Amino acid sequence: MSIGHTLLGLLESGPRHGYDLKRAFDEKFGHDRPLHYGQVYSTMSRLLKNGLVVVDGIETGGGPERKRYAITDEGITDVQRWLATPEKPEPYLQSTLYTKVVLALLTHRDAGDVLDTQRSEHLRSMRILTDRKRKGDLADQLICDHALFHLEADLRWLELTAARLDKLREAVAP
């Protein structure tokens, strides 16, 4: 995820302080990975340097100065370009799981155990996500669906690999 583009997009609704940006980000996108304040302020400094935001005001009070940031026309154009650019699909051609299965075969360990252990972990994750989806709002449901579909694809791969384990053993460890 591009934190910079996400913060720019949040600024399109109006100027905000760094604290407000962090809170909005965490509320909408950071359920599992909230931003650290340092990430917000270092990102805002970079966006400011690149002319994508401006300081719209500075408030002084009992604590440190609070800068309010606003998106520039260049920032709006940058967000639009980012939104219009498709993400590269992740083919997972060198997954850690595949590596573990092949190494288990090469070292004469039980690759079936590796697959079974991973299957159990995937199913555990799916139960947690399904429960979260059931209790969540629409945004949380969509996020959980995305993760669940990926886990389902992984499970299909685990089953297919388990069915082909003897052939894979012959191919990698003759």
Side-chain angles (χ1 to χ4, degrees), residues 152-165:
E152 287 173 5
D154 286 351
L155 283 175
R156 287 194 310 269
W157 182 85
L158 290 166
E159 295 302 321
L160 181 66
T161 302
R164 295 178 173 173
L165 214 45

Side-chain angles (χ1 to χ4, degrees), residues 77-93:
T77 300
D78 198 54
V79 171
Q80 181 59 37
R81 187 179 314 114
W82 180 67
L83 290 173
T85 304
E87 292 296 311
K88 183 179 177 185
E90 294 291 334
Y92 302 110
L93 292 178

Side-chain angles (χ1 to χ4, degrees), residues 14-119:
R16 298 181 192 212
H17 296 97
Y19 174 82
D20 296 328
L21 285 167
K22 179 198 175 342
R23 191 177 43 171
F25 181 98
D26 289 351
E27 182 181 296
K28 299 289 184 197
F29 311 107
H31 291 254
D32 296 318
R33 271 195 203 151
L35 280 181
H36 296 286
Y37 284 105
Q39 287 177 285
V40 173
Y41 293 110
S42 64
T43 301
M44 295 313 295
S45 292
R46 189 180 77 251
L47 296 173
L48 187 62
K49 179 181 165 192
N50 292 335
L52 302 175
V53 297
V54 294
V55 175
D56 185 55
I58 298 176
E59 295 175 13
T60 56
E65 291 182 341
R66 291 183 45 170
K67 294 178 184 175
R68 188 175 56 240
Y69 298 96
I71 192 167
T72 62
D73 289 340
E74 292 85 6
I76 292 169
T77 300
D78 198 54
V79 171
Q80 181 59 37
R81 187 179 314 114
W82 180 67
L83 290 173
T85 304
E87 292 296 311
K88 183 179 177 185
E90 294 291 334
Y92 302 110
L93 292 178
Q94 269 303 50
S95 79
T96 303
L97 183 54
Y98 173 78
T99 301
K100 285 183 173 186
V101 170
V102 170
L103 280 175
L105 293 172
L106 289 172
T107 58
H108 307 290
R109 291 182 172 90
D110 191 344
D113 285 349
V114 172
L115 294 170
D116 289 342
T117 300
Q118 192 63 50
R119 184 181 304 105

